[in-house]
Amino acid sequence: MPTEKGRFSELIEARCQDPNKAALIMYSGEILTYGELIRLRGQIQTTLAHWVRPWERVALITRDGRLCMPLLLGVMETAICAPLDPALNNGQYRSQLELLRIDWVLCDSDLDAVIEAALDLGLGIITLPGGPVPAPETSDLHLQREPDATRRRKQGDSRPAFVFTTSGTTSQPKVVPMLYAGLARAIEVEADFYDYTAESVQLVAVQLFRNPAIQVILKVLIRNGSIVYTDGVNPKRIADCLQRFPITHMNLQPAGMCALLRYCQQSSYVYPHQHDMYLIVVGAPLPVQVREEIQQLFRANLIDHYGMTEVGLITSPHKAPKGYKPGSVGCPFFKQIRLEEGEVLVKDFGMFAGYDDPEVNRDSFLDDWFRTGDMAAIDEDGYLFLQGRVREMINRGGEKISPYEVEAALLESAPIKEAVAFPYPNKQGSDDVGVVVVPHPGATVDLREIRSALRSRIKPYKLPALLYSVAELPTSSAH
């Protein structure tokens, strides 16, 4: 199948006015310049083209943050890139390589866990020097073995730039191929929408192998901006970078924003800059109180961005006709959306044409509309208000209740730091609403007063029948 690959490299090179400008600044102080990025990407692409076919899938695993960006570009322009976490064990790598139907592994030479898994599966192996290097002078790729001849694909779909996994509304991971042409169009449009220029400085906290980081990186690079990388959601590092660099854009999930705010409050942090900054919240809207405190601290334009791995940005309050509306994730600008029995359906740029598994696709599309699995309402101005996931909705005698709505109402109560709403079975054969709240440190809560206050905020059938207060909620180590 024909591809339109090469668009990202063309844009980056065409807009590069100064090869010594920093494309990537590591927290440690190491820098990757645009000249190095362009040269290394060219070397990698030329070398890979001798070994890898355009329709083959290459798992990319490296701990070298400076080489990660030219490697991502080189692989996606040559074949199909599947970035993976360099911290997995042998069994996890084997599972990922099989699920993603990988043909080649491109990794650090000392990553034994993935090399052993690739050998067991008969995959091709290309290695980089292991451990840190003084400077990214050369990509230095080494062909260790080609894929077993008996399993090597003679032909296939060469249109994807990347393949990722996502769990979505199920516990079974799904494979998401992202088509190059649609991705390129979406990245260009979103770069314009969020006002990326050569003066932009983007703080990236999420590891570079993750899809949200990759999409942000591409927006910055095609506008010839700079990226500051903290290598993880570390509040101290993020605060330090906000102090040291004129950050114009930062994307974080609500938990990361809250952790950053707590760190700044506890350390009496003073933000020194006066320039405009976009703080883009991904995953879910922030509680109103947290939102106001962050905006006051950083004098920033805080944007509740709603998107998905499969289709990218769906709605945003940025440039919406009536600005920000509390509780809303804004309006659609580039994609068609509609509601079907309350579920958000989307048409995108052609970035996503379906999962690898045809069985999953049957439940994931309605005609040519992608089913997000998110429940929502749209007001008269076209603003979208998320109400939870289809499978998370609480069914109380036929009435659908969004746990998010109940939680948001609870968080408006000053002493409450966290709240979780959940369904539990009642004697009538349906669900009742249960809630667990965590008070702010040093605060006390009166559960009767909280229940009474909720009556003015939500409808009676949404009121919790069970209400508990605990010191903290259990959490996992999942990212």
Side-chain angles (χ1 to χ4, degrees), residues 105-122:
V105 164
L106 170 53
C107 66
D108 298 336
S109 62
D110 58 351
L111 280 176
D112 294 339
V114 68
I115 291 173
E116 290 172 6
L119 286 170
D120 289 343
L121 296 171

Side-chain angles (χ1 to χ4, degrees), residues 58-75:
V58 181
L60 172 60
I61 311 104
T62 182
R63 293 161 298 193
D64 191 327
R66 290 168 301 165
L67 273 180
C68 191
M69 284 171 27
L71 284 166
L72 284 166
L73 285 167
V75 175

Side-chain angles (χ1 to χ4, degrees), residues 319-339:
K319 301 180 180 177
K322 294 191 176 181
Y324 168 72
K325 283 191 178 186
S328 172
V329 289
C331 302
F333 286 90
F334 328 116
K335 297 180 174 70
Q336 300 178 62
I337 69 169
R338 68 183 177 92
L339 300 185

Side-chain angles (χ1 to χ4, degrees), residues 59 61 63 84-86 88-94 97 104-130 142-145:
I61 311 104
R63 293 161 298 193
L84 295 181
D85 187 344
L88 302 182
N89 61 36
N90 179 273
Q92 291 169 324
Y93 277 126
R94 185 179 183 115
L97 296 174
W104 293 83
V105 164
L106 170 53
C107 66
D108 298 336
S109 62
D110 58 351
L111 280 176
D112 294 339
V114 68
I115 291 173
E116 290 172 6
L119 286 170
D120 289 343
L121 296 171
L123 308 184
I125 301 173
I126 302 167
T127 58
L128 293 154
H142 297 283
L143 175 64
Q144 303 297 337
R145 72 186 302 273

Side-chain angles (χ1 to χ4, degrees), residues 145-220:
R145 72 186 302 273
E146 293 190 350
D148 290 349
T150 55
R151 69 173 308 283
R152 193 163 190 183
R153 290 181 245 187
K154 298 293 186 278
Q155 193 58 265
D157 187 354
S158 58
R159 295 174 302 160
F162 296 101
V163 285
F164 296 100
T165 58
T166 180
S167 58
T169 57
T170 69
S171 58
Q172 177 63 36
K174 295 174 286 191
V175 177
V176 182
M178 304 187 73
L179 305 187
Y180 188 103
L183 175 64
R185 184 182 173 200
I187 292 295
E188 289 187 74
V189 170
E190 291 178 26
D192 286 338
F193 180 69
Y194 282 123
D195 304 314
Y196 282 99
T197 69
E199 305 304 316
S200 297
V201 182
Q202 169 83 50
L203 190 145
V204 174
V206 179
Q207 287 96 337
L208 298 181
F209 62 84
R210 298 190 183 279
N211 175 49
I214 292 170
Q215 295 210 27
V216 164
I217 287 166
L218 292 174
K219 294 184 189 90
V220 177

Side-chain angles (χ1 to χ4, degrees), residues 356-422:
D356 267 7
D357 187 346
E359 297 267 338
V360 175
N361 287 328
R362 275 195 281 273
D363 294 328
S364 301
F365 289 86
L366 185 60
D367 299 325
D368 54 349
W369 291 79
F370 175 65
R371 300 183 60 184
T372 65
D374 290 318
M375 300 296 290
I378 299 177
D379 72 6
E380 65 278 3
D381 297 318
Y383 281 70
L384 194 74
F385 292 79
L386 295 179
Q387 298 178 332
R389 301 288 292 169
V390 170
R391 299 193 180 194
E392 291 174 352
M393 298 299 284
I394 301 169
N395 186 346
R396 193 174 200 173
E399 295 283 2
K400 300 298 191 297
I401 303 169
S402 164
Y404 292 175
E405 182 184 1
V406 178
E407 290 164 4
L410 284 158
L411 290 171
E412 291 177 13
S413 299
I416 295 178
K417 174 186 173 185
E418 296 177 273
V420 175
F422 57 89

